[in-house]
């Protein structure tokens, strides 16, 4: 009887973990809830936007943030990348509008990172920035 109860509890735990993981995988960060696919497909992004998002992805791939100053320097690099996205973007129409759903929260988070007052707060904001940047290829091509 004890073995059956343990097997049941283990099975229940595994199913719960699976359902939780599936639910989390499909959720967007709160700041970009309006972002959606284009009738099940990806939105078209212009080549300049793709190149500049790749630059942002390279920035977040660097792992050397230990101090508050490190995070603020990272925010400055990200801001340069955002400035290039904005200045070089030639997108129009609905693709452009959907890009804004992704871009505006990122701009806000980079601004927030620049003004953080502790390493702990900087890490939290930076995690959100990383999430936003890494979901770009799921929605745009």
């Amino acid at each position: 009887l004890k073995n059956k109860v343990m097997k049941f509890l283990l099975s229940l735990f595994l199913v719960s973990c699976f359902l939780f993981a599936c639910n989390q995988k499909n959720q967007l960060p709160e700041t970009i809830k309006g972002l959606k696919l284009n009738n099940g497909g990806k939105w078209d992004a212009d080549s300049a936007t793709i190149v500049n998002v790749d630059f942002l992805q390279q920035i977040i791939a660097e792992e050397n943030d230990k101090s508050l100053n490190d995070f603020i320097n990272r925010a400055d690099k990200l801001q340069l990348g955002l400035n290039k996205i904005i200045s070089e973007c030639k997108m129009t129409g609905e693709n452009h509008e959907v890009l804004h759903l992704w871009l505006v929260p990122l701009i806000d988070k980079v601004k927030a990172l620049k003004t953080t007052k502790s390493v702990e707060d900087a890490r939290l904001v930076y995690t959100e920035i990383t999430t936003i940047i890494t979901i770009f290829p799921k929605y745009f091509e």
Side-chain angles (χ1 to χ4, degrees):
L1 182 65
K2 189 175 179 181
N3 257 352
K4 287 183 181 185
V5 170
M6 291 301 287
K7 285 181 183 179
F8 173 77
L9 290 175
L10 180 61
S11 297
L12 184 61
F13 174 75
L14 292 174
V15 168
S16 298
C17 289
F18 174 76
L19 292 174
F20 179 77
C22 289
N23 188 36
Q24 294 301 309
K25 184 174 105 179
N26 296 322
Q27 288 186 353
L28 290 171
E30 195 65 37
T31 52
I32 52 175
K33 282 292 188 186
L35 190 60
K36 62 184 181 345
L37 289 171
N38 183 6
N39 296 318
K42 295 179 183 183
W43 297 94
D44 290 329
D46 64 0
S47 60
T49 300
I50 298 289
V51 167
N52 289 317
V53 170
D54 286 345
F55 176 70
L56 295 179
Q57 291 171 336
Q58 290 170 16
I59 293 169
I60 64 169
E62 301 168 5
E63 293 293 330
N64 61 356
D65 302 311
K66 296 183 175 100
S67 71
L68 185 56
N69 198 45
D70 291 337
F71 282 105
I72 292 171
N73 289 337
R74 183 68 61 98
D76 290 339
K77 287 181 182 179
L78 289 167
Q79 187 63 57
L80 290 173
L82 289 172
N83 292 346
K84 284 190 71 165
I85 288 174
I86 293 165
S87 69
E88 296 178 4
C89 181
K90 304 292 184 247
M91 293 172 61
T92 59
E94 194 173 4
N95 290 336
H96 188 251
E97 295 304 316
V98 175
L99 178 68
H100 276 246
L101 294 174
W102 174 82
L103 187 59
V104 170
L106 180 57
I107 291 168
D108 292 342
K109 291 298 176 184
V110 170
K111 284 180 186 175
L113 184 60
K114 289 181 186 183
T115 61
T116 54
K117 302 293 182 206
S118 72
V119 172
E120 294 78 22
D121 288 345
R123 277 194 187 111
L124 290 173
V125 173
Y126 190 71
T127 297
E128 293 179 63
I129 289 169
T130 300
T131 300
I132 294 169
I133 292 171
T134 57
I135 67 164
F136 180 87
K138 294 178 184 176
Y139 291 89
F140 298 92
E141 59 183 0

